Amino acid sequence: MNFLTKLATENIENYNQYLNRMTVSTEVSTKKNIPFYVKGDKILDVGCGSGVMLEKLRELYGKKEIVGLEINKYAANICRKKGFRIIEKPLEEINEKFDTIIFSSVLHEIASYNDNTDKYKIIKNVLNAAYDRLTVGGRIIIRDGVQADLYPVFIEFKDKEVVKDYFKYCEDIGYNNFFTRRNVTDNTIVDFAPIIKEFCFTYTWGKDSYAREVKERFGILTADDWYRVVDNLFYIECFETNREQYLDYIERFCVIDKNLEKMFEDATVFIVAEKLL
Ligand SMILES: C[S@@+](CC[C@H](N)C(=O)[O-])C[C@H]1O[C@@H](n2cnc3c(N)ncnc32)[C@H](O)[C@@H]1O
């Protein structure tokens, strides 16, 4: 059983909280721009959750055919109750074409819940599947997390308890490079930027969500790799990285300095790209 399905069946309250968070994030993050980039008459939202994007699209474009793809039965059924057609199969297994395929905060989950450690290759394969299921001139729209480039960075937490949580996090993700990770003072750490950034993404959602979030990497590719993996097949029309509201989130537990400001300049990526041939 898929980990998300397991959480959904064992802990509905927590899963509802997760779905609610997605709903709020669709209102306040760059996800809210997605509907304005859709093209054509038939739209697929991959990993549609409880259907907040589907509802927005229906509101704006009542005449278009709007379809969701969701592997979590609980979420899929919520969308069906709202009157949407939901496909409950991986993209690779469907035999249908679309004019726009949306990947809103889902590629990092697909990559995280796959045992293959080559995350670039997993995303490349999903985008290949999207390419085959797009009409010529069709679009993909991606909004997802950005991994930091590899450089050492200093971070100051507001409370030494967070340092303990940081070490626990490293243990939980199986990261144990004691040569590079050290306490400078009770409240500070030096480590590689990708680990620190991912810890901040995970910690942002609080203890209730930790069991789920620690299994995922939100910053699954660096900005350069996001560009490369899309450019490989598609014509890129829009490529943006955004800070969104992540500095506000992490300010609750970190002292914000120039290093952190730089690291979270590209918290997320927003890409619109077309299939030309
Ligand atoms: C982080 S949520 C994003 C929900 C929504 N797209 C949004 O932007 O708010 C990721 C969703 O993708 C679904 N998901 C995870 N892996 C998937 C896969 N391989 N195929 C389809 N959906 C998947 C999860 O069940 C979850 O509902």
Side-chain angles (χ1 to χ4, degrees):
M1 186 189 280
N2 157 289
F3 182 72
L4 292 176
T5 316
K6 192 163 174 289
L7 271 181
T9 45
E10 284 172 0
N11 189 355
I12 294 293
E13 206 177 316
N14 186 291
Y15 192 73
N16 280 333
Q17 186 184 318
Y18 164 78
L19 290 177
N20 287 340
R21 206 171 78 206
M22 295 305 133
T23 304
V24 172
S25 112
T26 307
E27 300 292 338
V28 300
S29 74
T30 49
K31 290 179 190 178
K32 67 177 185 294
N33 299 327
I34 291 174
F36 305 109
Y37 287 91
V38 301
K39 184 180 176 186
D41 295 329
K42 195 171 168 193
I43 320 295
L44 179 69
D45 183 17
V46 178
C48 58
S50 55
V52 58
M53 184 65 69
L54 300 176
E55 288 178 287
K56 285 262 171 308
L57 293 169
R58 182 164 62 187
E59 221 175 278
L60 282 168
Y61 312 111
K63 294 214 168 95
K64 294 190 195 292
E65 186 181 348
I66 296 152
V67 183
L69 187 152
E70 177 55 63
I71 49 145
N72 185 285
K73 206 171 253 323
Y74 179 73
N77 284 337
I78 295 177
C79 296
R80 289 197 178 101
K81 282 192 189 130
K82 294 176 179 173
F84 292 104
R85 174 159 77 91
I86 303 299
I87 300 168
E88 255 183 86
K89 285 191 231 173
L91 186 62
E92 294 81 349
E93 289 175 22
I94 63 176
N95 189 13
E96 217 177 316
K97 295 248 182 197
F98 298 89
D99 299 312
T100 297
I101 302 182
I102 298 170
F103 295 98
S104 171
S105 252
V106 65
L107 287 171
H108 76 272
E109 287 209 3
I110 295 176
S112 296
Y113 292 104
N114 189 308
D115 293 337
N116 189 338
T117 50
D118 187 347
K119 302 307 178 192
Y120 184 93
K121 196 165 171 197
I122 296 165
I123 291 179
K124 191 171 168 206
N125 289 343
V126 179
L127 295 185
N128 264 317
Y131 188 91
D132 292 342
R133 281 147 193 89
L134 273 179
T135 51
V136 174
R139 272 191 177 167
I140 51 166
I141 306 173
I142 298 173
R143 185 270 185 189
D144 223 308
V146 175
Q147 185 185 328
D149 292 321
L150 193 63
Y151 58 93
V153 75
F154 169 95
I155 186 168
E156 182 177 356
F157 297 120
K158 288 192 171 163
D159 191 306
K160 57 179 192 267
E161 284 305 304
V162 188
V163 176
K164 277 196 209 149
D165 291 342
Y166 180 82
F167 282 108
K168 164 88 171 57
Y169 171 79
C170 290
E171 208 181 299
D172 291 344
I173 63 167
Y175 170 69
N176 270 315
N177 190 342
F178 290 106
F179 294 104
T180 54
R181 192 183 77 213
R182 58 197 156 95
N183 291 51
V184 178
T185 69
D186 278 357
N187 281 27
T188 55
I189 289 283
V190 172
D191 209 336
F192 285 122
I195 304 293
I196 290 195
K197 189 172 184 183
E198 198 54 42
F199 169 75
C200 291
F201 280 142
T202 303
Y203 205 75
T204 291
W205 305 117
K207 286 203 189 316
D208 285 356
S209 304
Y210 184 77
R212 176 196 313 286
E213 297 296 332
V214 76
K215 306 260 183 217
E216 292 180 15
R217 254 169 66 193
F218 182 57
I220 203 83
L221 295 181
T222 61
D224 284 352
D225 278 346
W226 273 119
Y227 194 94
R228 204 156 53 94
V229 78
V230 176
D231 189 46
N232 180 53
L233 271 179
F234 296 89
Y235 173 75
I236 297 181
E237 300 219 305
C238 161
F239 184 93
E240 275 179 6
T241 54
N242 293 289
R243 176 176 290 184
E244 301 204 11
Q245 61 284 77
Y246 281 92
L247 278 187
D248 298 339
Y249 296 149
I250 64 172
E251 198 177 20
R252 296 178 207 140
F253 58 94
C254 290
V255 177
I256 306 293
D257 60 8
K258 289 241 168 324
N259 286 333
L260 275 187
E261 275 178 13
K262 179 174 175 289
M263 193 189 287
F264 282 91
E265 246 166 36
D266 57 359
T268 64
V269 73
F270 189 91
I271 309 169
V272 180
E274 288 200 353
K275 167 173 170 167
L276 290 186
L277 298 172

